[in-house]
């Protein structure tokens, strides 16, 4: 009879690795020495490293011809600190159960064919020092992950958040230290001027800018209205009006004489809004 499902004869970690082997099509691997050997301890299986208590702490099977899917029973390896499945042909989504690997520090799933959204449980892991997710087909938003500062560098956290993307909406990653695009070009992420100004996005900045412009226009209108009302209430005398008009004419004649009667800037001396717009446009082009 089969004792493989009996935890007294077959430890949980051995069952977990056996399920991983079957789901990842272990029979087709480039190297699978000792895997599933009934007479050898699972710590002797190729790519498996254990501690002195026979807890699996490292599973490294990079560039080894893996395919199929990642088993959800990977979560049974409670003491796992490093998982490297990079440069294979694994597909499907990442199981939520990966979020139960609380000791995990190094996770490399890059250069595979994983799809779908990354599990939110990934954000619960607190000891990451390296996280490589690039060159897959993930969509949506990468969960917020804070890496430990020890050994931290610009290639510590990489995903496919670069542009151009193979999708209409690129993968979003707020915490990544490096982004890769559809051309497999990777570059460090840097804060934009918008982000440095404490805006989370250009959309937020646009709304604040729009509201500010509207508010400024309203303030100018109210100020102009108050000044006009004050002028009407002051009721200047006839002599003052004549003196003021005379000064206006002299100032206007002097200005026209200096800038030229046919200059576009003479529109500023009139009250025609169209003329003002033309003059402002010319001035803007010259300043540009």
């Amino acid at each position: 009879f089969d004792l493989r499902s009996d935890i007294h004869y077959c430890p949980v970690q051995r069952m977990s690795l056996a399920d991983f082997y079957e789901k990842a099509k272990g029979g087709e691997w480039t190297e699978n020495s000792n895997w599933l050997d009934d007479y050898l301890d699972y710590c002797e299986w190729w790519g498996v490293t254990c501690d002195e208590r026979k807890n699996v702490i490292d599973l490294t099977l990079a560039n080894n011809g893996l395919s199929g899917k990642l088993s959800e029973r990977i979560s049974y390896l409670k003491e796992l600190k490093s998982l490297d499945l990079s440069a294979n042909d694994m597909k499907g989504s990442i199981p939520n159960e990966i979020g139960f690997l609380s000791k995990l520090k190094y996770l490399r799933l890059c250069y595979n064919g994983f799809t779908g959204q990354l599990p939110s449980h990934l954000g619960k892991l607190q000891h990451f020092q390296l996280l490589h997710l690039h060159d897959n087909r993930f969509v949506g938003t990468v969960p917020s992950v804070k890496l430990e500062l020890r050994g931290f560098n610009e290639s510590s956290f990489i995903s496919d958040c670069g542009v151009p993307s193979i999708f209409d909406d690129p993968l979003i990653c707020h915490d990544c230290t490096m982004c890769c695009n559809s051309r497999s070009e990777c570059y460090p992420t840097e804060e934009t001027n918008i982000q440095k100004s404490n805006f989370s996005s250009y959309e937020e900045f646009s709304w604040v800018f729009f509201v500010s412009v509207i508010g400024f226009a309203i303030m100018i209108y109210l100020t102009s209205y108050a000044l006009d009302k004050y002028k009407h209430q002051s009721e200047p005398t006839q002599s003052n009006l004549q003196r003021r008009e005379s000064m206006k004419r002299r100032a206007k004649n002097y200005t026209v004489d200096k800038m030229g009667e046919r200059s576009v800037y003479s529109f500023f001396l009139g009250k025609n809004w169209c003329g003002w717009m033309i003059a402002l446009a010319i001035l803007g082009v010259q300043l540009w």
Side-chain angles (χ1 to χ4, degrees), residues 1-12 14-15 38:
F1 54 95
D2 192 358
L3 297 178
R4 285 181 296 179
S5 59
D6 191 328
I7 62 173
H8 296 290
Y9 297 95
C10 187
V12 171
R14 186 184 183 96
M15 289 192 296
D38 292 334

Side-chain angles (χ1 to χ4, degrees), residues 193-252:
N193 291 329
I194 297 297
Q195 292 171 324
K196 290 178 181 178
S197 302
N198 294 322
F199 292 103
S200 60
S201 63
Y202 282 96
E203 183 179 359
E204 181 183 349
F205 170 77
S206 299
W207 273 109
V208 173
F209 180 76
F210 177 75
V211 171
S212 299
V213 170
I214 296 298
F216 184 69
I218 293 174
M219 184 180 67
I220 291 177
Y221 172 79
L222 292 176
T223 303
S224 177
Y225 176 79
L227 288 174
D228 286 342
K229 191 171 182 180
Y230 173 78
K231 286 181 181 178
H232 289 304
Q233 289 178 348
S234 60
E235 295 182 357
T237 60
Q238 187 67 25
S239 58
N240 286 339
L241 287 174
Q242 291 177 350
R243 191 181 305 111
R244 196 173 298 169
E245 289 296 326
S246 176
M247 292 176 64
K248 285 182 180 180
R249 282 196 297 272
R250 286 201 299 270
K252 183 175 181 179

Side-chain angles (χ1 to χ4, degrees), residues 156-207:
S156 295
F157 188 0
I158 312 176
S159 76
D160 296 318
C161 49
V163 177
S165 170
I166 58 175
F167 300 106
D168 292 334
D169 297 319
L171 186 70
I172 299 172
C173 185
H174 298 295
D175 298 318
C176 284
T177 58
M178 185 172 288
C179 285
C180 298
N181 58 28
S182 58
R183 301 169 185 161
S184 295
E185 299 168 337
C186 301
Y187 50 87
T189 56
E190 296 180 358
E191 282 190 332
T192 63
N193 291 329
I194 297 297
Q195 292 171 324
K196 290 178 181 178
S197 302
N198 294 322
F199 292 103
S200 60
S201 63
Y202 282 96
E203 183 179 359
E204 181 183 349
F205 170 77
S206 299
W207 273 109

